[in-house]
Amino acid sequence: MAGAHNESPNPCVIISEFPVLPDNHTVGGVDPTAGQAGGRGIASRASPLVCGGIPEGLRMRAESFDYIVVGAGSAGCVVANRLSADPSVSVCLVEAGGSDTSMRVKMPAGILSLYGNPRYDYRFVGVPQAGLNNRRIPVNRGKALGGSSSINSMVYIRGAAEDYDGWEHLGCTGWAYRDVLPVFKQLERNLLGQDARYHGTTGELLVDNPRDPNPVSRLFVEAGAQVGLPANADFNAESQFGVGIYNVTQDRGQRFSSFTAFVRPVLGRKNLTLMSECEVINLVLAQRRVTGMHVDHRGEKKQLLAKREVIVSAGAINSPRILMTSGIGPADELKQIGIDPVHDLPGVGKNLQDHVDGMITVRSSSTKTLGLSLRNAPRIAAAPLRYFASRKGMLTTNYVEAGGFAKTSYAGHLPDIQFHFVPGYRSHRGRLIEYGHGYAIHTCVLRPKSVGEIRLSRDAARPEVLIDHRFFSNEDDAKVLVEGIRIARGIFSARPFDGIRGEEILPGKDIVRDDEILAYLRAEALTVYHPVGTCKMGVDGMAVVEPATLKVRGLEGIRIADASVMPTLIGGNTNAPSMMIGQKAADMILGSTRT
């Protein structure tokens, strides 16, 4: 990538000396040389790593750093920034994806070209979901510098204060709202003049309003007020309840990812090495300490050595994958798929939680909405000029400009559903682009009770992740979402939509009873891509990391810092909370080095 600094401050690019082992020997059950003609297995996990001579047998280039951060996503970019601020230490930031400089990433409306694109998206697909008619649900996750913050909708939401107080109640001391609020403020550069009790103005992460919201998004806010959902200009302040235009992580109408905020400005640091298009094969352990990893860097097998620590920030899907392919996880399950367990940690991959989501889509003849039509052709043709001249117009849309939080009859004092309103026609056939005009609303269950897991396949050469959300395995989630759809319909029936009213395509006006709505959801519900919890912190037997340090339990030299450590799913979008976790992790590391 242009501008990336790839020279290590400790370039003793050393050679690891490995004894020649039988062809079927692996590290963590995975052979990094699989597929290479004549390739031999890598050395035993406890084998010493020796600087110097090149023996007969496997030769693998190795590089040494103080810290290695795996994943240049929402959390990992914060960690890499903070650790590399000390010029006396060397930091390597490893990212499996590539450049984020394309306009399809930078321009908000480019989201439609990112989902499902193998250059930017891992394109995960879950296993058949029994509660959703055995459908396999797409799980889009970012594969580029910036991670999922380079393909998301840029909505800035932190969750409710009670979410974090709930973490403390589960034994995660130091993670209550009073603990995390100062961290959110530290990271934020709020451009809106919002309440200083809740917002910061000196951080690196820009938070702004959408540059040019579609007028139909404002109709949604007006309609919400008429059905008892007050206008809310700041979902990150005292209360989430109500509807409004979402704050976004943008810079003058352009995406502002975690990489843009925290890493790109410091790429000139001599002690920071960025390795993009670099995929982690497995971690290397010596006794109970993680000493580095094997990677595939643009087709070249390498070993990266961590003199101090490895920080895994690969996300709720890839962080447990990396652990399990390295033999760290539920021992019996790893044995069943041919991976030799090196550290029995039963919680790895468990506790998967995500926001299950249902959609209402309306076809309208109004060209006020976003859409593809002959009548809208002049507006479409002018859009690039408007965007590049003034950062205005339809290309500034993130498609979910408005939304909010509401309560069903099952809620306590907190909202239990969230809306993402789209001022354009969402396809009833699952297409990214559909001819015509309309509007849509996504409704998701904020605090689901259904819990899933991530496992690995039995392919020993290269295990794949098996994502099992188990959506609707707890029937309470289905009840909440059915009522949420009713509330969303109530918003659409309010008077502000009279001028653009159209026909409800999904679920359709004939779908009215609870059992009919539930059948529709089983056939159509998806996720809003907020997976968390698969390496949770806590004090119980299924906890993977310690709350006070984010160190992996029972191991040295490794921490996890990303959404996978959340013990429960927060009520809202997960990008900002993941950055907060990255900052907390960096503070823990830096604090331990000072003592």
Side-chain angles (χ1 to χ4, degrees):
M1 173 184 167
H5 187 77
N6 288 309
E7 179 182 352
S8 170
N10 294 315
C12 169
V13 176
I14 63 172
I15 301 296
S16 295
E17 184 173 339
F18 296 101
V20 179
L21 297 170
D23 288 344
N24 62 355
H25 190 88
T26 63
V27 175
V30 181
D31 182 358
T33 64
Q36 296 182 4
R40 291 185 177 272
I42 300 298
S44 164
R45 286 172 292 279
S47 298
L49 303 173
V50 181
C51 270
I54 306 175
E56 293 183 5
L58 181 69
R59 300 174 184 177
M60 180 178 288
R61 186 163 172 257
E63 300 178 40
S64 177
F65 305 90
D66 290 308
Y67 298 103
I68 302 173
V69 182
V70 179
S74 299
C77 287
V78 179
V79 176
N81 175 293
R82 300 314 191 225
L83 296 183
S84 64
D86 179 356
S88 69
V89 301
S90 56
V91 178
C92 180
L93 177 60
V94 173
E95 168 57 43
S99 172
D100 66 335
T101 57
S102 169
M103 281 307 300
R104 64 178 61 189
V105 175
K106 299 300 183 184
M107 186 172 59
I111 294 171
L112 291 184
S113 68
L114 301 177
Y115 291 154
N117 186 325
R119 183 174 178 179
Y120 304 103
D121 183 359
Y122 277 99
R123 300 190 301 169
F124 294 121
V125 178
V127 303
Q129 294 295 287
L132 300 182
N133 294 353
N134 287 318
R135 289 184 296 120
R136 301 184 68 198
I137 306 302
V139 185
N140 301 119
R141 307 310 297 153
K143 187 179 182 181
L145 296 172
S148 292
S149 73
S150 285
I151 72 167
N152 70 354
S153 296
M154 297 155 277
V155 175
Y156 183 78
I157 294 289
R158 300 172 181 170
E162 291 85 349
D163 292 323
Y164 302 101
D165 291 342
W167 292 2
E168 181 184 52
H169 182 72
L170 292 173
C172 297
T173 303
W175 292 89
Y177 184 65
R178 64 179 178 277
D179 302 309
V180 303
L181 177 59
V183 182
F184 280 118
K185 292 172 64 176
Q186 175 187 353
L187 295 171
E188 182 186 11
R189 191 188 316 167
N190 187 283
L191 303 178
L192 301 169
Q194 292 175 317
D195 194 333
R197 292 177 297 170
Y198 301 100
H199 295 280
T201 58
T202 61
E204 295 95 333
L205 183 68
L206 296 181
V207 175
D208 202 352
N209 278 330
R211 185 79 168 182
D212 191 15
N214 186 284
V216 177
S217 294
R218 301 197 186 279
L219 290 183
F220 170 80
V221 179
E222 295 172 15
Q226 290 199 0
V227 298
L229 294 171
N232 189 338
D234 188 356
F235 297 115
N236 299 302
E238 187 171 349
S239 172
Q240 289 185 316
F241 185 69
V243 293
I245 303 296
Y246 280 131
N247 294 165
V248 291
T249 52
Q250 292 182 6
D251 179 14
R252 295 163 294 174
Q254 185 166 284
R255 177 186 296 277
F256 204 73
S257 71
S258 186
F259 185 82
T260 306
F262 298 101
V263 175
R264 179 168 283 115
V266 300
L267 281 174
R269 290 176 178 171
K270 299 294 185 182
N271 62 330
L272 176 60
T273 299
L274 173 64
M275 296 179 68
S276 60
E277 300 176 53
C278 183
E279 188 166 357
V280 175
I281 300 168
N282 51 33
L283 303 172
V284 176
L285 289 86
Q287 303 304 322
R288 292 291 179 177
R289 184 175 186 85
V290 173
T291 59
M293 65 196 67
H294 297 117
V295 301
D296 183 331
H297 186 210
R298 300 172 182 170
E300 180 183 0
K301 299 297 189 296
K302 296 181 180 180
Q303 182 166 328
L304 305 182
L305 307 178
K307 291 182 287 185
R308 295 192 182 185
E309 293 189 24
V310 169
I311 301 92
V312 179
S313 298
I317 308 300
N318 276 322
S319 285
R321 177 191 68 81
I322 290 170
L323 293 183
M324 288 189 285
T325 57
S326 307
I328 303 168
D332 290 341
E333 294 181 19
L334 295 179
K335 289 177 183 176
Q336 290 173 10
I337 59 173
I339 293 178
D340 182 17
V342 298
H343 183 56
D344 184 12
L345 205 54
V348 174
K350 311 304 181 185
N351 192 48
L352 173 63
Q353 299 166 52
D354 202 345
H355 289 135
V356 63
D357 176 90
M359 181 180 71
I360 300 173
T361 185
V362 175
R363 183 184 284 271
S364 168
S365 62
S366 173
T367 55
K368 290 182 180 179
T369 67
L370 301 172
L372 182 65
S373 68
L374 288 176
R375 289 185 300 149
N376 204 33
R379 186 179 170 201
I380 295 172
L385 180 61
R386 288 201 69 195
Y387 182 79
F388 289 109
S390 61
R391 297 282 173 86
K392 295 282 188 178
M394 60 191 302
L395 294 182
T396 66
T397 186
N398 66 336
Y399 298 102
V400 288
E401 300 167 347
F405 299 82
K407 299 179 183 179
T408 70
S409 61
Y410 303 100
H413 69 287
L414 288 177
D416 58 350
I417 55 172
Q418 182 180 3
F419 301 122
H420 291 87
F421 174 73
V422 182
Y425 183 45
R426 284 304 310 269
S427 173
H428 59 289
R429 295 177 286 196
R431 297 177 178 175
L432 287 177
I433 299 177
E434 187 82 42
Y435 187 84
H437 290 269
Y439 47 92
I441 186 169
H442 291 269
T443 304
C444 73
V445 179
L446 276 180
R447 295 172 183 85
K449 296 179 181 178
S450 301
V451 177
E453 66 176 356
I454 290 175
R455 307 183 304 277
L456 296 181
S457 71
R458 196 177 173 81
D459 181 0
R462 185 178 176 81
E464 299 296 330
V465 289
L466 304 176
I467 304 170
D468 187 359
H469 285 96
R470 295 178 187 155
F471 285 134
F472 288 171
S473 58
N474 188 307
E475 65 179 14
D476 288 351
D477 296 342
K479 293 177 181 177
V480 169
L481 192 50
V482 166
E483 188 171 330
I485 293 293
R486 291 192 179 280
I487 295 173
R489 274 178 160 170
I491 297 173
F492 277 180
S493 67
R495 285 194 305 275
F497 282 101
D498 285 350
I500 62 169
R501 192 167 303 285
E503 178 187 2
E504 182 181 295
I505 303 299
L506 288 177
K509 61 184 176 65
D510 295 331
I511 306 300
V512 293
R513 299 194 314 267
D514 283 0
D515 63 319
E516 293 172 332
I517 297 173
L518 179 55
Y520 160 71
L521 292 171
R522 291 192 191 281
E524 299 289 345
L526 296 169
T527 162
V528 284
Y529 315 123
H530 297 154
V532 308
T534 50
C535 296
K536 76 167 187 174
M537 59 179 166
V539 295
D540 62 283
M542 296 299 287
V544 176
V545 298
E546 303 287 349
T549 62
L550 295 184
K551 290 182 177 180
V552 175
R553 297 174 68 187
L555 294 177
E556 294 296 327
I558 180 171
R559 304 186 202 225
I560 302 176
D562 55 34
S564 72
V565 307
M566 295 184 186
T568 58
L569 181 55
I570 59 101
N573 308 68
T574 52
N575 183 38
S578 296
M579 296 184 199
M580 177 274 292
I581 291 169
Q583 179 66 54
K584 289 270 289 182
D587 290 343
M588 292 168 182
I589 297 167
L590 295 172
S592 67
T593 61
R594 297 188 191 106
T595 57

